[in-house]
């Protein structure tokens, strides 16, 4: 449990908050390139760390992330014209380029230099592997972008999507690193050990109280969960949590890997980017069908929105008969099952009322690492992981071993949790 003050410290990420300052030291993924695919595309509203921003691609193909509100009389530039390398406010015609410079101010006399004194707030942006990233911290503290494994696989071997969740980022992440819940929340009643399409099967239902081993790392932490499976063997599942909000969920051996980025839109809303990828082969039609329709790790959305089709307003389409006969929840899809749990306490859970057990070890540790990181920054020590993107070259991993040994004592597992160094370091 946390005190109310600690809970505020952990969950508040707006401008001027310690956790917000900590987050702002990292590159932040916030949308998919395909959402602003073409030059002079429609601008898209973006809410990031409590700030209302606007993303657009200018005539040269450059992405801009700027304050949503015009510095003249603060109307929304969402209604503006994205034309000839700038966004033009439709109220009085002021125009701003991707760096936020005012390049035209037709409502003032031609000999006025007022436009040179007005600036629109603009953040540095980069695109990588189909995702758009922003840096919102001090210019002299800008570090490298995280080098994540999915960035290096061919486009046809990965699928990505984005949606919103109506809860604080920490709450959403806690649901993800809570490895104990897979034995319950995602269970099928008629458990078929051969069916590995969902996170079910004998690996999860046979041993519902796994042994935990959580190891601090430079990038965050590795969460090992060991279950005893058929033949008296040991199934180790190593999920990763990486500063400040990335999670990697270990695949069932041979299946695709999933990475989620739980980016605070504001303190009550999480902007989620999910990437599922396979190192060996292209995405299959069956996988695509499952992901696009919200049957597993991705959300099916209400068309034209970032709101999942199964959401709190419709009780995630829970079917009580299915819950009696077929699945533990009666809710379709891992994503919706998770969201039903993590959104249900309300946007910010009161952590002073919790009763945490041994299965919550990773959650306790994540909170501590984040709060320690934010306090260290307040004391003048910036986070090391924000500087060195190579620390992120780590996948989630799972393996069945015969020996009764911890995962971090087994060389083959440690090897499996390493992404080879990049042949050529990506130019940034
Ligand atoms: S409010 Fe934008 S130009 Fe006047
Ligand atoms: Fe889950």
């Amino acid at each position: 449990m946390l005190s109310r003050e600690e809970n505020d410290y952990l969950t508040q990420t707006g401008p001027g908050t310690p956790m917000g300052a900590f987050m702002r030291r990292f590159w932040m993924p916030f949308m998919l390139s395909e959402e602003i695919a073409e030059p002079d595309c429609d601008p898209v509203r973006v809410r990031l760390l409590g700030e209302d921003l606007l993303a657009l691609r200018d005539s040269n193909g450059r992405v801009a992330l700027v304050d949503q509100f015009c510095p003249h009389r603060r109307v929304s530039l969402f209604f503006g014209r994205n034309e000839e390398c700038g966004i033009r406010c439709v109220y009085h015609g002021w125009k701003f380029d991707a760096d936020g410079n005012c390049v035209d101010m037709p409502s003032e006399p031609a000999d006025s230099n007022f436009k040179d004194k007005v600036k629109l707030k603009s953040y540095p942006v980069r695109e990588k592997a189909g995702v758009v990233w922003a840096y919102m911290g001090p210019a002299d503290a800008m570090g490298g972008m995280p080098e994540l494994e999915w960035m290096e696989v061919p486009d046809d071997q990965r699928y990505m999507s984005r949606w919103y969740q109506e809860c604080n980022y920490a709450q959403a992440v806690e649901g993800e690193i809570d490895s104990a819940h897979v034995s319950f929340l995602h269970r099928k009643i008629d458990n078929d050990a051969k069916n590995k399409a969902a996170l079910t099967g004998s690996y999860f239902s046979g041993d519902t109280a796994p042994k935990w081993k959580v190891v601090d790392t430079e990038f965050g932490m590795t969460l090992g969960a060991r279950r005893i499976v058929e033949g008296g063997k040991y199934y180790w599942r190593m999920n990763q949590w990486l500063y400040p909000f990335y999670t990697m969920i270990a695949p069932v051996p041979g299946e695709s890997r999933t990475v989620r980025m739980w980016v605070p839109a504001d303190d009550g809303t999480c902007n989620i980017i999910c990437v599922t990828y396979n190192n060996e082969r292209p995405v299959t039609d069956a996988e695509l069908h499952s992901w696009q329709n919200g049957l597993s790790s991705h959300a099916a959305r209400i068309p034209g929105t970032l709101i999942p089709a199964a959401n709190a307003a419709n009780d995630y389409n829970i079917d009580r008969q299915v819950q009696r006969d077929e699945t533990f929840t009666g809710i379709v899809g891992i994503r919706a099952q998770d969201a039903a749990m993590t959104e249900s306490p309300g946007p910010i859970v009161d952590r002073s009322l919790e009763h945490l057990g041994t299965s919550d070890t990773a959650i306790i540790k994540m909170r501590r690492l984040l709060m320690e990181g934010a306090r260290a920054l307040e004391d003048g020590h910036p986070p090391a992981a924000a500087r060195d993107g190579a620390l992120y070259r780590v996948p989630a991993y799972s393996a069945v071993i015969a020996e009764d040994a911890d995962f971090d004592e087994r060389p083959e597992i440690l090897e499996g949790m390493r992404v080879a160094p990049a042949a050529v370091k990506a130019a940034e």
Side-chain angles (χ1 to χ4, degrees):
M1 77 177 235
L2 297 182
S3 69
R4 295 250 160 83
E5 293 72 29
E6 288 170 325
N7 206 24
D8 289 347
Y9 194 89
L10 175 69
T11 55
Q12 294 178 357
T13 61
T17 61
M19 194 58 73
F22 182 74
M23 296 263 177
R24 281 167 172 76
R25 294 301 178 106
F26 294 83
W27 280 93
M28 316 276 302
F30 64 92
M31 72 190 306
L32 307 185
S33 293
E34 67 188 31
E35 296 177 65
I36 44 173
E38 301 295 332
D40 294 335
C41 64
D42 298 346
V44 175
R45 293 186 187 97
V46 172
R47 197 151 162 77
L48 195 51
L49 297 173
E51 297 189 32
D52 284 309
L53 306 169
L54 197 67
L56 54 102
R57 192 180 295 276
D58 76 9
S59 311
N60 293 333
R62 182 178 163 197
V63 177
L65 182 67
V66 296
D67 188 353
Q68 190 195 130
F69 300 106
C70 178
H72 179 209
R73 298 249 305 282
R74 302 293 294 161
V75 307
S76 176
L77 291 168
F78 171 76
F79 301 104
R81 304 173 62 87
N82 183 12
E83 58 184 18
E84 292 164 2
C85 281
I87 180 85
R88 189 183 290 280
C89 181
V90 289
Y91 210 3
H92 313 97
W94 295 16
K95 182 178 170 184
F96 303 89
D97 69 14
D99 292 315
N101 300 308
C102 185
V103 292
D104 195 17
M105 195 181 267
S107 61
E108 292 294 310
D111 59 353
S112 164
N113 68 349
F114 187 35
K115 84 173 164 54
D116 302 330
K117 298 180 178 146
V118 175
K119 199 129 175 150
L120 179 68
K121 183 166 65 181
S122 153
Y123 288 113
V125 176
R126 289 181 188 161
E127 284 186 278
K128 196 162 184 185
V131 173
V132 192
W133 310 66
Y135 178 75
M136 301 170 73
D140 58 357
M142 185 191 289
M145 292 179 65
E147 297 174 24
L148 296 159
E149 185 179 43
W150 58 265
M151 295 173 165
E152 292 167 19
V153 305
D155 288 352
D156 66 350
Q157 291 178 212
R158 70 173 167 240
Y159 173 79
M160 52 180 71
S161 71
R162 176 166 90 101
W163 67 88
Y164 282 136
Q165 185 159 317
E166 297 304 316
C167 73
N168 183 261
Y169 83 95
Q171 200 162 315
V173 175
E174 286 170 6
E176 191 82 341
I177 64 176
D178 166 19
S179 215
H181 80 260
V182 293
S183 298
F184 305 96
L185 184 71
H186 305 313
R187 184 194 288 187
K188 291 183 177 176
I189 305 282
D190 179 17
N191 197 12
D192 176 357
K194 292 188 213 74
N195 179 3
K196 292 177 180 172
L199 274 180
T200 57
S202 63
Y203 283 173
F204 294 102
S205 58
D207 184 351
T208 57
K211 171 184 165 178
W212 302 98
K213 176 129 194 204
V214 181
V215 177
D216 283 14
T217 64
E218 288 174 289
F219 59 77
M221 61 180 175
T222 298
L223 299 64
R226 190 207 68 183
R227 290 173 168 85
I228 298 174
V229 293
E230 65 258 345
K233 291 191 175 155
Y234 302 93
Y235 175 51
W236 274 102
R237 196 161 181 261
M238 279 66 58
N239 294 340
Q240 314 286 8
W241 173 80
L242 307 93
Y243 287 109
F245 45 53
Y246 299 92
T247 54
M248 299 179 175
I249 301 305
V252 174
E255 294 295 325
S256 297
R257 297 176 169 182
T258 298
V259 176
R260 291 201 181 91
M261 306 162 231
W262 307 87
V263 185
D266 53 42
D267 295 343
T269 315
C270 192
N271 175 16
I272 300 163
I273 296 175
C274 179
V275 180
T276 309
Y277 66 102
N278 197 301
N279 288 330
E280 314 289 328
R281 57 164 176 80
V283 166
T284 65
D285 289 345
E287 284 174 329
L288 207 53
H289 178 266
S290 162
W291 296 332
Q292 288 177 337
N293 291 287
L295 304 180
S296 54
S297 318
H298 294 257
R301 292 164 308 174
I302 297 170
T305 75
L306 293 167
I307 302 167
N311 58 51
N314 55 29
D315 291 327
Y316 309 89
N317 297 321
I318 186 170
D319 183 325
R320 296 292 186 183
Q321 202 54 47
V322 171
Q323 187 174 31
R324 283 184 192 96
D325 300 336
E326 296 177 41
T327 66
F328 210 61
T329 58
I331 294 170
V332 173
I334 289 167
R335 193 292 314 169
Q337 292 160 5
D338 284 332
M341 296 302 100
T342 51
E343 290 180 331
S344 66
I348 301 180
V349 63
D350 182 349
R351 291 175 173 79
S352 71
L353 301 176
E354 296 171 330
H355 299 80
L356 300 181
T358 53
S359 73
D360 302 303
T361 307
I363 290 166
I364 294 165
K365 185 163 271 199
M366 182 202 74
R367 296 174 184 174
R368 183 172 60 68
L369 290 174
L370 280 173
M371 292 196 288
E372 283 176 1
R375 284 198 192 100
L377 181 60
E378 287 193 276
D379 292 339
H381 306 294
R387 296 215 70 85
D388 186 1
L391 294 177
Y392 289 74
R393 303 188 69 79
V394 52
Y397 191 65
S398 68
V400 178
I401 58 173
E403 302 79 7
D404 183 8
D406 285 354
F407 74 88
D408 55 339
E409 295 164 3
R410 298 301 308 171
E412 72 272 30
I413 292 184
L414 294 175
E415 185 56 33
M417 284 200 295
R418 211 167 287 140
V419 177
V424 181
K425 200 146 191 290
E428 285 174 358

